[in-house]
Structure formats: structure tokens, C-alpha cells
Amino acid sequence: MQFPESWLRALVDPAIDTEALAHRLTMAGLEVEETQTAAPPFSGVVVAHIVEIAPHPDADKLRVCQVDDGSGQLLQIVCGAPNAAAGLKVPLARVGAELPGGMKIGVAKMRGVQSAGMLCSARELGLSQDHGGLLELPADMAVGVSLREALDLDDTLFTLKLTPNRADCLSILGVAREVAALTGAPLRVPSAEPVAVTLQDRVPVRVEAPDLCGRFAGRVIRGVNARAATPEWMKTRLERAGQRSVSALVDISNYVLLELGRPTHVFDLDKIKGDLVVRWAHADEPVTLLNGQTLKLAPDVGVIVAGDTVESMAGIMGGDATAVTLDTQNIYVEAAFWWADAIAGRARRYKFSTEASHRFERGVDYANIPEHLEFITSLIVAICGGQCGPVDDQIVNLPQRPPVRMRLARCHRVLGVPVERAEIEQIFTRLGLPFELDGDTFVVQPPSYRFDLSIEEDLIEEVARVYGFERIPDVPPVARAKMRMAPETLRGPHALRQVLAGQDYQEVVNFSFVEADWERDYAGNADPIRLLNPIASQLAVMRSSLLGGLVANIVHNANRKQSRVRVFELGRVFRRDGSVADGPLTVAAVSQPLKLAAAAWGPSVEEQWGAPTRPVDFYDVKMDVSVLFGKRGADLRFVAAQHPALHPGRSARIELDGKAVGWIGELHPRWAQKAELAHAPVLFEVDVDVLEQGLLPQVRELSRQPVVVRDLALWVDEGVTAQSMQDTIAATVAADARLAIVQQSRLFDVWREKNQDSGQVADSVKEKSLAFRFWLQDTESTLDEARVAECLGIIRDALIQAHGARQRA
């Protein structure tokens, strides 16, 4: 919210400077995000009067002006502005003046004619983007006066960053209330005497939706002059508050919105056909708004209807059907209270926002509507003229604001400071919070404009803000600090990120909302969770897998000539999880598990002289997954299975302790071709809750005896997997005490006959040779050949019996 300091000081003028005022507001919770002057720095510019004007002797578009700058001597200035004319008062940059951007003015010759200064446009002074001609000043402005002083260009513009609960401060009056409470300066509330009622005309209004509109007021004004000029003081305030001047009627409505926080709407009375009806919209009911946009409304959007025509979206924006123009003569001014829940989110659903909806969805004062209607009426009559009808005020359904109780002891305990009861009474009085005392309990009646006061803590916050956070002393904790040991078996998200970063992956953070095609292609999800109000049309559903975002990251980098990409993401996915009862309704439940996914594409290692260049493959990423699981990596099982996003013959389900915990594999050729990738990336996705569970290190004796290494190669059928044979080895070692000396085993070679690879052997007789390496060691004595041979024989016999293997010669 932006506003000029002069406007604020017109309502409350504390005896503090601009910097102190900004600091007070910030410390009270109304953060002053920025302060700047109304105009950029410039000097040497004064108000001047063009006395005479003559054509330039050597240029058709230039004219020679004789200008009075208040010095007692006319200055000759060459000007090319189309609106330069005798009798006009304009800004003059004297010789020696410095304009925004560092331009300095000196005496110059323009086509042979000397020019002692420069007549300025608003754009040249940094006041606006208007460069159509000279900035025309009021005729009664004194010549020779500094332009900064004449136009109050040193006025400071405040930009507040308000929290959503402080809707009462979305107006100059609301901020002024705060300043008065913080400084004790008197508050001047804008008001107006009721205008004389000379007409009895009324517009019948029927409110059919009390859950939409709680109060509706309006009045007829006839004979207005819509072409009347907006007063300069009002235009200046509006422009410095970031509002563009449109016309007198629109400007007055915007002015009341900014000063009082009261959104109003002005209808062209002659365009209203029939009675006004306030109701919820019908499904797909059309409306054309003031901005020219035509919408089809949903049934939960409020409207004001005249006959069969929707005149406006209630509390959001007026309709084009009854918009005022410069030819408007009769108007109907409306001010209403719309329930916040009935307005919230509706404008954003249709991808726009308005000043009115921004206020109504946070809560607008419902008690002072007639007074505010009198205020806007007085401005309209004073500027545009006209005759007024009576105020038609319908109270339908106003909020019930129960009193809020605050215990004095509770306030002291929360703040940690024994604020005196008398000071709290003074704080509530300055804030305009009516209260009664019930012993040591304050019973406060929230004002109609304070929707943020509902519980005890809200009142304690008010006390703290006005008392001053800077006055609350820094007190060390009463309890002794106790350091807790980090659990050895748990790994947090940062530890997991560190492991993958050590494996040469880079972290990415993608949107949780993705394209619907991604869910279908990469997750096989035909019914994803859809967003009601997506930030972009293509990002319309919630992700149930992280893989789609990683593929998009690879495509993005590949399109920018990156040859090697390794990325990972740790984030939540969103999946339907049955349904739950919510009162009388049954709603879909959503689970949000945490996942860790990664993708590798391009060479397995950076290009270097010490290693040949080869593309990353399934087994490279499989090793990264094993490292990620740490000591539990040896217990992982990679079971061949199909996944919608992965290559049907090069993908596996990751299992741990018999439970599926993730997936790994190459991207499906169809999706790699669709993404225009030269080769498929390798991806994996695992559950974070499993990764976080580690194993406690086990202490064991280190043997001083030498290690014996032996190899065992076996022929097995092509369909036998290496994993099944390793499982047999592990089960055999665990079951036989004689095999306790077997410390480790690992598959190190796979070999097939050449004619087998060429397809000359029938599938029924295809075999492969799997070679395993064993490390044997005893803690007590040196192993002899007989004991080693016995152990390998037991393992060999178990493999032969379980898998039909035969030892390779």
C-alpha cells in the first residue's frame, strides 16, 4: 500500500520526523517497506510565465519564447513543445539547473537562436511518463517559486507491507488510527454533513443471499456533471497513492476507497433496467466487466443483477452494462458489506485482482456504511453537482462480534513484562477498543473494523505493539540449556543431500504442480489431484512423482548444449489416499510422502585423459543408490519390473526387507524420443522415510590373520539371476558354523559363449558363467588349504543343488 505522508498528516500530525514515523510504524507491525520522495532529485527549476511567443526563424517546429522567471528580466528560451503558448505557466529549468539523470542546463544556441534555460515536461522532471508537451501549472501559482515547493515534491511516499490480518490499515484512516495510538497525536476523522435530500427517488434492492451480503446501502443522485474536472488536490493524492486519474466520478470513488477503506460503486442510473437483486450467480452466467473481460461465472460467485442483466461481480468489479461515462447524468451510489468468505479467492480464480476484492476478502467495516455514503455524496455534489435522494440502508446479516477477554496475569506471562494496568487501559483507549474491567480481566468489544481481534492473544499482541517491542528487555532463558545427542541411526534430509552431492549430483527444486501429461506418462496416473486455481494453465495438477521434473531439468540443460547432467530433488509428492468424513461431507484424503529422486544423463564421468568416455548406465546409478542407503545398501534387492516412466527391459523395483521402497531404470524410449534426447537418462526414486533409518555400527574383533581370496565359477541356465545365487550363498553361510570364516562374497564376472550371443544356440540350452570371489579369514589361526577347500565345496554344492549349476573347468 502506497500513500503520501502529507495525506496521512492531514488526519494525524505527530511531532516526529519522517524517519521516526516510519520506524514507529514498522515496530508496530506495519512494516514500512520503502520511503521515497514524490519526485526524483532536481534543482534550479522554478515556476515561469510565458509572456510572448514567436516562430523560430530557421525551424518550423521550434518557437522562441519570452519567459518571466520572477527575476525582473525576461529570458529568451527556444522551445519545441506543441502546447507552448503565451500566458501559460510552466516549469523552467534555469541556467545551472540539474535535472533527473544528471543533465545540467546551460546557455545554448538552437539553430542560431540563443536559449537561456529549458521549459520542461513532466517526463523530463521525472513526475510522470507524459512527454506530449510542457507541464501546465495552475494559473494562480506564483512566478519564481521553486517548483519543488510549489508542488510539494519533497513529500515522502510511504510503501507499507501489511500482513493479511490488518485489513483495517488498508486505508489512510486506518494508518492514521495506528499513528494516533502510537504517538498520542489527535486524530481527525474525515466526515461530512449530510447533504440535503431534495428527491424521493429510490432504487428497489432485494438481497436474496444473506451469506453473501450483510448490509446494502445506496442512494440516487440526479443531474451530475460527469465532465467536471477532478480537483488538483485530489488528483495529486491519487497519483501519489499509485492511482491514475480517470474521471471525476471514478476518482471520487477511488479517493474514498483509499482514504476511508470503503469500496463503493457508482452505477449509471439510466442503464439500470428494473430492480437490483443481490444473489449468487447461476452456473455459467455471463458478465462483461469494466475491464472489458467477459466471464462465465460459477455458482459460488456473488452478483448484483438488474432484470436479466448481471450488473457487477459483488465486491469485486462493476459491470460494463451500467458503467458511468462522461455523458452520465444520473447515478446510483452503492456501498455494501460483503462477507469475506464470499469474496475470498473469487477474483484470483478468474486471474485478476481489484482493490475492492483485496479489502473485502480481508474484512471491511460494516458499521459506518451510511456515514461513508454521506461522505462520498458530499464530494460528488461539491465537484459534479446534482440533487440527492435518501439513503436506502438495508441491514440483512451482520457479524456477531462477541467480546474478547484478556487476563492481566496472562498478558504479563506472555510478554514477560509486568505492564501496569493503567497503561493497558490507556493503550486500549488510544486504540479505540471499548473495554470493561471484570476484576483483573479486560473485557474488550472489538470494533467493527477490527476483524483480527477474536482471542486473548490478539489483545496481548495489541498491548505489546503499542507498549513497544523495544521496551521489552532481553532476558536469558530460565531453564538450563541441555545438549542432546544426535541419534546415530537417523539421517535427516541434509545428510541425504550431502551423500548425493558427494556422488556428483546437483540439487534442484521444482514446482509441486506439474503438467497433466507428466502424470500420465511418468506416473501412470490417470486421475491426478487437480488445482482449482493454477498459476499457469499447463501447471494444473499436483505431482505424484518427482521423475517428470527431473526429466524436464535434463531437457532444459540439453537444449542449452550441456553434455552431462546429474540432478536430484528431495520433495513431497501428492497422492489420493481414500476418503475421510468431514462433517456431513465425504472428501478425498491426500497423502504427502517425502521422496528422493535423481537422474543421470551423459558421460559417466567428466571428460578426462585417465578414463574412456562412456555413457552412464543402469549399473552406475545402481551403485549410487547402494551408496545412498549406506550400510543397508548390501541388503537391497533390485527386482526386474515395469514402471510407466522406465524402459520395460532396463528397470527394477528396489526392495528392502521384502518391501518395495523405490524404482530405478532408464527412461522409456518413447518418452526419451518425445523429449528429443539423444540417449535415455537413468533415473531412480526412493522413499525418504526408509532412507532415514540407518544401522547402528557393530563392534567386532579385527583379525590379525591373513585373508585368503578364492574364486568360484559356475555354469548356470541363462534364466538364473545372480541375485538368487547370492541369496543362496548368504543363506548357506548363515546356516553352517563351518562357514563363519567367509567374510565377504561378490560377483565379479559374467561370461557367455560367442555363438550364444549371435543367436546360433537354442534358448533352451543357453547358459552363462557366473564367477564369484570369496574372502575368507579366521580370527584365531591361519587358514590351511583343506579348510578353504571344504568351505568352497559346501557353497558349490549348495549352488548346484539350488540352481542346477555345474562348476566351470
Side-chain angles (χ1 to χ4, degrees):
M1 176 182 170
Q2 178 180 302
F3 59 88
E5 182 182 4
S6 60
W7 195 353
L8 176 63
R9 289 189 180 271
L11 303 186
V12 58
D13 191 11
I16 55 178
D17 61 15
T18 301
E19 184 177 351
L21 177 59
H23 179 72
R24 288 280 189 95
L25 288 172
T26 299
M27 293 305 298
L30 277 65
E31 181 185 352
V32 179
E33 192 173 26
E34 181 184 17
T35 58
Q36 60 180 0
T37 56
F42 60 80
S43 61
V45 181
V46 298
V47 178
H49 178 225
I50 301 177
V51 178
E52 297 177 6
I53 190 167
H56 192 286
D58 196 27
D60 294 338
K61 294 185 178 181
L62 298 179
R63 282 171 282 183
V64 180
C65 304
Q66 302 299 322
V67 179
D68 178 13
D69 69 340
S71 62
Q73 184 177 358
L74 296 181
L75 300 177
Q76 178 174 283
I77 297 177
V78 178
C79 177
N83 64 333
L88 200 65
K89 288 191 176 178
V90 295
L92 166 66
R94 289 170 168 167
V95 175
E98 186 170 348
L99 299 184
M103 183 173 71
K104 294 184 178 181
I105 305 301
V107 177
K109 280 193 175 184
M110 302 183 68
R111 290 290 187 94
V113 177
Q114 183 170 301
S115 180
M118 185 176 80
L119 302 180
C120 302
S121 67
R123 180 176 170 183
E124 289 163 339
L125 296 174
L127 303 181
S128 74
Q129 293 301 313
D130 182 13
H131 198 51
L134 300 177
L135 174 62
E136 299 184 18
L137 302 175
D140 59 350
M141 197 166 282
V143 174
V145 178
S146 169
L147 187 69
R148 299 195 75 88
E149 178 183 346
L151 298 181
D152 192 19
L153 298 181
D154 290 321
D155 190 7
T156 302
L157 305 184
F158 281 69
T159 301
L160 296 187
K161 186 178 181 181
L162 297 174
T163 52
N165 64 316
R166 293 310 305 271
D168 60 300
C169 291
L170 288 169
S171 65
I172 306 300
L173 176 59
V175 179
R177 287 195 197 102
E178 289 291 303
V179 174
L182 295 171
T183 63
L187 175 66
R188 296 182 288 276
V189 179
S191 61
E193 293 294 328
V195 297
V197 176
T198 57
L199 302 173
Q200 294 305 314
D201 295 2
R202 297 173 183 266
V203 173
V205 179
R206 187 171 70 256
V207 179
E208 296 181 350
D211 54 342
L212 166 66
C213 179
R215 188 173 188 175
F216 193 98
R219 79 184 321 163
V220 171
I221 305 177
R222 292 187 178 275
V224 298
N225 176 18
R227 296 182 181 273
T230 304
E232 286 298 325
W233 61 269
M234 183 179 289
K235 289 177 63 176
T236 299
R237 286 183 173 181
L238 289 174
E239 289 170 358
R240 293 182 182 178
Q243 291 285 340
R244 179 176 58 90
S245 177
V246 179
S247 66
L249 291 175
V250 176
D251 291 350
I252 292 170
S253 179
N254 289 337
Y255 181 84
V256 173
L257 171 79
L258 294 174
E259 183 161 76
L260 302 181
R262 170 64 59 196
T264 59
H265 185 61
V266 181
F267 295 85
D268 189 323
L269 183 62
D270 298 326
K271 297 178 181 178
I272 299 177
K273 307 301 181 184
D275 300 348
L276 293 181
V277 179
V278 179
R279 60 170 172 79
W280 295 106
H282 300 149
D284 294 330
E285 191 169 21
V287 60
T288 301
L289 300 175
L290 289 173
N291 60 5
Q293 188 176 2
T294 300
L295 306 176
K296 289 187 177 180
L297 303 178
D300 62 344
V301 177
V303 293
I304 301 177
V305 181
D308 296 330
T309 304
V310 178
E311 305 293 345
S312 66
M313 287 178 68
I316 298 176
M317 184 183 290
D320 185 64
T322 55
V324 295
T325 66
L326 295 179
D327 297 324
T328 297
Q329 296 181 347
N330 306 310
I331 61 174
Y332 179 75
V333 184
E334 164 264 314
F337 168 71
W338 308 100
W339 286 92
D341 290 343
I343 305 299
R346 272 56 169 192
R348 289 189 296 277
R349 181 188 305 173
Y350 295 101
K351 299 179 176 59
F352 68 91
S353 180
T354 64
E355 293 285 347
S357 66
H358 183 73
R359 287 162 173 78
F360 277 126
E361 65 186 5
R362 288 162 171 78
V364 174
D365 181 11
Y366 54 84
N368 296 318
I369 291 178
E371 292 81 357
H372 293 172
L373 199 56
E374 289 288 358
F375 184 76
I376 188 174
T377 302
S378 65
L379 289 174
I380 292 174
V381 172
I383 297 171
C384 302
Q387 295 181 315
C388 303
V391 173
D392 184 12
D393 182 20
Q394 296 187 46
I395 298 177
V396 182
N397 178 26
L398 295 184
Q400 301 299 317
R401 305 295 304 281
V404 183
R405 303 173 68 89
M406 187 194 79
R407 296 162 290 175
L408 185 62
R410 174 66 175 168
C411 178
H412 292 168
R413 183 176 180 183
V414 171
L415 297 183
V417 178
V419 184
E420 297 292 338
R421 177 192 295 189
E423 188 165 3
I424 294 178
E425 293 177 2
Q426 184 184 15
I427 288 172
F428 285 160
T429 301
R430 285 158 55 182
L431 285 170
L433 305 180
F435 67 90
E436 295 179 356
L437 281 171
D438 181 8
D440 283 340
T441 301
F442 288 84
V443 183
V444 177
Q445 182 60 48
S448 57
Y449 52 83
R450 290 298 301 269
F451 287 83
D452 59 318
L453 302 180
S454 58
I455 60 176
E456 185 175 30
E457 283 70 15
D458 295 332
L459 296 179
I460 296 174
E461 180 186 7
E462 295 301 296
V463 173
R465 290 191 315 108
V466 181
Y467 178 79
F469 293 113
E470 294 170 316
R471 295 174 60 189
I472 300 177
D474 296 330
V475 180
V478 177
R480 294 182 59 186
K482 183 179 180 180
M483 300 297 294
R484 295 186 177 182
M485 295 179 61
E488 293 185 64
T489 59
L490 293 180
R491 297 189 298 170
H494 293 301
L496 299 178
R497 291 186 177 101
Q498 187 175 10
V499 172
L500 275 181
Q503 294 297 108
D504 199 21
Y505 289 87
Q506 292 182 314
E507 185 176 13
V508 296
V509 179
N510 294 313
F511 282 131
S512 295
F513 19 87
V514 298
E515 300 180 25
D517 290 349
W518 292 6
E519 281 298 292
R520 183 189 66 242
D521 296 345
Y522 301 130
N525 187 2
D527 185 25
I529 300 170
R530 296 192 173 275
L531 295 170
L532 294 178
N533 186 28
I535 63 171
S537 58
Q538 71 274 18
L539 304 179
V541 301
M542 301 299 293
R543 66 186 181 187
S544 63
S545 171
L546 303 179
L547 299 181
L550 297 180
V551 173
N553 297 143
I554 291 176
V555 172
H556 179 85
N557 282 274
N559 291 340
R560 284 153 183 81
K561 307 303 181 183
Q562 297 297 316
S563 60
R564 183 174 185 268
V565 182
R566 294 170 71 89
V567 291
F568 78 92
E569 181 176 11
L570 193 154
R572 296 197 177 276
V573 297
F574 304 85
R575 297 171 178 170
R576 300 188 188 277
D577 189 17
S579 60
V580 295
D582 184 12
L585 302 176
T586 300
V587 297
V590 177
S591 63
Q592 303 179 35
L594 201 59
K595 297 284 186 177
L596 179 61
W601 179 80
S604 58
V605 295
E606 291 281 1
E607 185 176 1
Q608 55 166 300
W609 61 269
T613 300
R614 65 172 180 83
V616 65
D617 60 21
F618 177 94
Y619 297 100
D620 293 321
V621 178
K622 178 174 176 284
M623 178 56 70
D624 293 336
V625 174
S626 298
V627 172
L628 181 61
F629 275 85
K631 291 184 177 297
R632 305 183 76 187
D635 299 328
L636 292 177
R637 296 291 180 269
F638 297 86
V639 181
Q642 293 190 7
H643 185 278
L646 304 178
H647 192 296
R650 300 176 184 176
S651 61
R653 182 175 60 250
I654 305 173
E655 295 183 356
L656 181 65
D657 299 333
K659 295 181 180 179
V661 297
W663 289 89
I664 182 174
E666 283 188 11
L667 183 66
H668 197 291
R670 183 187 300 118
W671 312 138
Q673 182 180 11
K674 183 177 179 180
E676 299 181 354
L677 294 173
H679 49 274
V682 183
L683 312 98
F684 73 83
E685 184 177 46
V686 294
D687 298 332
V688 171
D689 58 348
V690 178
L691 284 172
E692 290 177 333
Q693 302 296 324
L695 293 178
L696 192 66
Q698 299 294 325
V699 179
R700 68 176 185 175
E701 181 183 359
L702 292 177
S703 176
R704 296 176 177 272
Q705 306 303 323
V707 175
V708 176
V709 180
R710 290 290 185 270
D711 295 341
L712 178 62
L714 299 166
W715 286 103
V716 293
D717 187 76
E718 181 66 30
V720 176
T721 63
Q723 184 65 64
S724 63
M725 297 184 70
Q726 288 178 319
D727 292 342
T728 300
I729 293 172
T732 303
V733 171
D736 196 327
R738 291 173 294 175
L739 302 182
I741 60 174
V742 179
Q743 304 295 327
Q744 185 181 0
S745 64
R746 183 183 302 166
L747 175 73
F748 73 91
D749 184 50
V750 179
W751 187 84
R752 295 177 177 85
E753 293 283 358
K754 290 184 179 180
N755 58 359
Q756 220 175 268
D757 294 334
S758 63
Q760 298 176 7
V761 179
D763 291 341
S764 59
V765 295
K766 283 187 177 180
E767 290 184 317
K768 61 185 175 183
S769 170
L770 300 181
F772 295 89
R773 182 160 292 164
F774 297 87
W775 286 261
L776 301 92
Q777 185 183 37
D778 194 358
T779 57
E780 301 295 336
S781 60
T782 301
L783 296 177
D784 55 29
E785 189 60 34
R787 191 175 177 188
V788 171
E790 181 186 16
C791 289
L792 290 183
I794 296 172
I795 294 173
R796 180 195 61 219
D797 294 343
L799 292 173
I800 291 173
Q801 183 177 0
H803 304 286
R806 56 188 177 86
Q807 188 167 0
R808 177 180 170 187

